[in-house]
Each structure stands twice: as structure tokens, then as C-alpha cells.
Amino acid sequence: MSFGSSETIRAAIYTRVSTDKQSQEGFSLEAQHDLLMQYVNDNKMQLFKIYSDPGVSAKNLKRPGVQELIRDLDSGMFDTVIIHKLDRLTRNISDLYDLVELVNAKNVKLISLSEQIDTSNPMGRMFVYLLGIFAQMFRENLGEEVTKGMRKRAEKGLHNITVNLYGYERQENGQLLIKEDEAKWVRWMFERYAAGDGSPTIAKYLNQHGIRRNKGSKWDHSKVMLTLTNNHYCGKVHNKFKRDEDVIIRKGTHEPIVSEELFNKVQTIRLRKRDGSISQNSYDYVFGGIVKCAKCGSSYTGITDRRTSAYARHYVCGGKTRSGTCDQGGISEKKLVALIFNNTFIKGEEYTRKHTPAKKNDEEAEIRKAIRTSEERRERWQLAYGDGNMPYADFSKRMQEEMARIGELEERLAKLPKQVVSHLTPQAAVKMINEMKENWEYFEQRTKKDIMQSIFQRIVIRKEESNWKIEEIIWA
């Protein structure tokens, strides 16, 4: 489209004023218009259009006048943009830099009368260069400030979720309220995983029954696992910042959908699957992932002998079948069950004493003890203040110091490497084995696997001549 002769410069002018500051700013829309029009006439330009945003803040570019200006600029409708002052366009330096970049890309001049800036000359281009440096500093600083704000919220137990989390509805004040029609499926996912279902099986069931995620998308393995590992569902907030070890976990202000006990049980199963100490295969193989070879350390893998009508299940050493580095033979599931039920050590106190795993002390126990001690101190101070035996200033100072100490302890706790530890005592495990022994043949295969995988983390077996023996058992 042609406007006038090829020698004529097509000019666009933009005016804006905030109504509440019009008197202080000293340049009304009319005053800006007159000044800009005088410049257009003095320089023999052709006015293309006047863009204006009366009574609108310049905090961002979401203004009708600016949006129209940008659309026409992008379409090449004029040659020059003239403004009274840069802050008429925007007060956000990052937005201003983006606008100047667009102006340059379209070979359009930007002229600001107050700052005497003209991007068609070297000084004007130098200004754009400097503006870019400041814009980069602004963006980096903004990112750091946002992270600081998120960290402060996390330390107070406040979430940083900006959209609806499946199972919750986010209120205008940011609070998360349970959305029961979704929360029941969150509970179901946790319960099924704890019972032995894998994430693909869970996703398949949800999709087949028309259960969709927030925006109607389907479930898959990764989305199920994101749900099962999200601390928000047990009433906590979990925030990971720039570094992997920079994690904050706090008790949140929202209601949990699942109990902390169920959440922790799911994490234990997940870690055991990841480490190969629990089977990720189908329910056909009761001891998948937990039986180990005493000679080479490999896991025993379940196979089915289809030559018989009963489809007998066997377990073979992975070191023998995969790499040929072990000569220990296979064992039938029936014989392995009998080996466990009839093992003399399992029946007596000798095994219990011999195979009680060493307790992990470590830093975790010390940190948890320090947290309990801190909680007891805070309770005593609350009682003292409530009884009038402690001034408020003293009470407030001590409580703030103690909350800071608790925060540091919880951060240290969150950074500890995750360990899969036994939650059964040997005595409890032996009792469970003896109780189910008489009814074993009546259980379904899936139930058998659930039981064995919930009792044992590892069963190490060795064959000597024609006899099998258990060398080591680690409880789940």
C-alpha cells in the first residue's frame, strides 16, 4: 500500500496519560498531541494515524492503543513512530527493549522528543544497545526476585502452584480446596500402586473408564508417576529450585488427599522398583526381583514351563541365562515357597537375631531428634507465655529463632539421600509367614505376590549338591 510520494515519511504518533497522575505529569493528551503534530509538520511528514491510550497505566503492553500500533508496525504501515517521552510507551524496560527491537527489524525509526532519541542516528542506536544491557539485567534480577519470593512462600508452607492441580481447585486467594470428583481417583491411584499395580496399568484403566486429566488429556505412565510423587497430595508443599539439591518440603496449609502413611508406602515401593529389589513384571511371578543368587549376585528371573498343563513357574539365575557367568541352577516356585516356609531359621530366634538389619542411625535420626526437641521447647514457651510467665517480646524472639532452626533442620532432612529401609521387624515378618502358611494354596497368584513382596526385600539362595538353602533375608 502506498501513502503519498516515495519521498514522504509516513508518521505515527502515540499519546498516553494516566488519569490519576495527569495533573502532576503536566502533559495532557491534548498537550502531547499538539507537540507531536508540530514536530510532524515542521519536518514535513505525512501523518498516518494517531494512537492513544487515555487513562491507562503503562505497567505492560496490554493496552488497545499500543496493541493497534504494534499490529500496524508489524504490517509496515508507517515509517516513523513519534512519542513525547519513552515512558508514554511503557515503564517496563524489558517491554521497551522488545518494542525497539521490533522497530529496528521493520526499519522504522523511533523518535522520542523529550529524550532527544532518534534510532536512525548513531547515538540513537547506542541508546538501544545500552537499553538491551539494562533489559538483560532487569530480566535476570526479576528471575532472582521471583525465586526469592517462591522460596519464602515455600518456607512458610505456602504452595507456588499457579494452575489447578488434579484433585484440587485453586481459589482466587491461592488456597487449594479438595475437588472430590477428582480426589477420589487420586486416592485410587495411590491405593492401586501400593497394592502392586504398575503406572502403565493404572493409566490404562483410567483412560478406558473415561477419566481425564485437568484439561481433558489422557493419562500415561509419566503423568501417573508425577501424581504419585507429588507431596501436595499428603498435605505438604514441595519446591525444587535451580539446583537438584535445593529442595524445600514443608507442611502445607491445604488439606491432604491421602495419608502420609500411604504416600510414604508408595514411595518405598517406587524406590524398590527403581533399585530392582521389587518386581516390575506381571503378577505371574511371586518372587520376581527379590530372589538373588548367592554365587554371582544376579536376580532370579521368572519363567513358565508351558510343556505341562499346569504351566509350572520356575526361577533362573540371570547370570547364567544372560551372560553364562554362573552355573547355579534354577528352582521351581513350589520348591522356593517350601524353602521359605520350612526354613528352620525362620521358625526360630536364631534367624531373628542373625538377620536383624542394622538400624540406620545416621544423620536422619539425629535431625529428627533435634526437630522433636525443638517442638517440645516451643510447647513450653507457649505455655509460659499463656500463663503470663514470659513477656511477648521474649516469646516472639524465641519462637522466630526456633522456627528458623526448624527450617534449617527440615532442609537438611530433605537433602539426605533417600534410603529404602525395613518397616517390618523380623518377629512381625515371621508371624506373617506362619499365619499365611496354612492358607497359601488358596490365595490367588496376585495376592501371593503382594504378600511376598511386602515381606521381603531380598532372599539370597544357594544350591549345594542337590539341596537349596537360604543364606540371607532382608525384610521389606
Side-chain angles (χ1 to χ4, degrees), residues 151-152 154-157 245-251 363-364 366-372 374 377-378 398-416:
R151 188 187 300 278
K152 287 294 183 184
E155 289 171 350
K156 294 178 181 180
E245 69 273 13
D246 193 8
V247 177
I248 294 178
I249 300 177
R250 295 283 189 277
K251 179 175 175 56
E363 208 176 349
E364 180 175 346
E366 295 175 6
I367 293 173
R368 293 193 183 279
K369 181 179 179 181
I371 290 175
R372 288 194 299 272
S374 175
R377 279 197 296 268
R378 283 184 289 147
R398 292 191 183 193
M399 288 294 285
Q400 288 178 13
E401 291 173 347
E402 205 62 44
M403 290 305 293
R405 187 177 296 113
I406 284 279
E408 292 173 1
L409 290 169
E410 289 182 342
E411 282 190 30
R412 286 175 56 195
L413 193 62
K415 292 177 181 178
L416 291 178

Side-chain angles (χ1 to χ4, degrees), residues 222 249 317 354 422:
S222 63
I249 300 177
C317 173
K354 179 180 178 183
S422 299

Side-chain angles (χ1 to χ4, degrees), residues 139-316:
R139 286 169 176 148
E140 291 176 357
N141 184 63
L142 179 62
E144 291 176 2
E145 292 302 314
V146 169
T147 300
K148 286 179 185 177
M150 292 174 65
R151 188 187 300 278
K152 287 294 183 184
R153 286 182 57 83
E155 289 171 350
K156 294 178 181 180
L158 301 172
H159 67 83
N160 286 302
I161 297 173
T162 57
V163 296
N164 282 338
L165 176 67
Y166 189 81
Y168 288 102
E169 186 172 1
R170 186 177 181 277
Q171 304 298 294
E172 288 185 4
N173 61 4
Q175 185 64 29
L176 297 179
L177 296 183
I178 292 177
K179 194 175 180 181
E180 188 54 40
D181 59 331
E182 294 177 352
K184 66 181 181 182
W185 290 110
V186 173
R187 296 188 196 98
W188 180 86
M189 282 186 265
F190 276 89
E191 289 164 358
R192 291 317 313 154
Y193 193 86
D197 282 351
S199 52
T201 301
I202 292 172
K204 182 178 179 181
Y205 182 93
L206 292 170
N207 292 332
Q208 287 177 341
H209 288 76
I211 308 303
R212 296 291 183 262
R213 301 178 64 241
N214 297 70
K215 296 183 179 180
S217 59
K218 291 185 177 182
W219 293 91
D220 58 26
H221 152 74
S222 63
K223 299 303 187 298
V224 171
M225 292 311 300
L226 281 173
T227 300
L228 296 175
T229 55
N230 192 325
N231 284 270
H232 286 82
Y233 291 119
C234 67
K236 296 182 179 180
V237 294
H238 180 158
N239 289 270
K240 181 187 291 187
F241 297 97
K242 292 182 179 179
R243 302 183 304 276
D244 288 342
E245 69 273 13
D246 193 8
V247 177
I248 294 178
I249 300 177
R250 295 283 189 277
K251 179 175 175 56
T253 59
H254 61 285
E255 291 294 321
I257 290 178
V258 300
S259 68
E260 191 168 351
E261 179 183 6
L262 177 57
F263 183 86
N264 290 337
K265 182 178 181 181
V266 164
Q267 306 321 305
T268 298
I269 293 172
R270 180 180 64 83
L271 291 172
R272 287 182 62 196
K273 285 186 175 182
R274 184 196 66 185
D275 297 339
S277 61
I278 188 172
S279 173
Q280 299 189 54
N281 298 325
S282 71
Y283 284 97
D284 289 342
Y285 303 109
V286 172
F287 298 99
I290 60 176
V291 176
K292 310 292 180 181
C293 176
K295 295 190 72 173
C296 71
S298 298
S299 296
Y300 266 70
T301 304
I303 61 172
T304 300
D305 185 354
R306 300 186 180 276
R307 293 173 297 179
T308 64
S309 59
Y311 284 174
R313 296 179 181 86
H314 294 261
Y315 296 84
V316 294

Side-chain angles (χ1 to χ4, degrees), residues 300-348:
Y300 266 70
T301 304
I303 61 172
T304 300
D305 185 354
R306 300 186 180 276
R307 293 173 297 179
T308 64
S309 59
Y311 284 174
R313 296 179 181 86
H314 294 261
Y315 296 84
V316 294
C317 173
K320 181 176 183 179
T321 58
R322 287 194 295 271
S323 59
T325 57
C326 186
D327 61 359
Q328 183 156 284
I331 183 172
S332 69
E333 186 170 290
K334 184 176 181 180
K335 187 175 289 187
L336 188 51
V337 169
L339 184 66
I340 292 171
F341 283 157
N342 299 322
N343 190 281
T344 55
F345 287 123
I346 287 181
K347 294 178 179 179

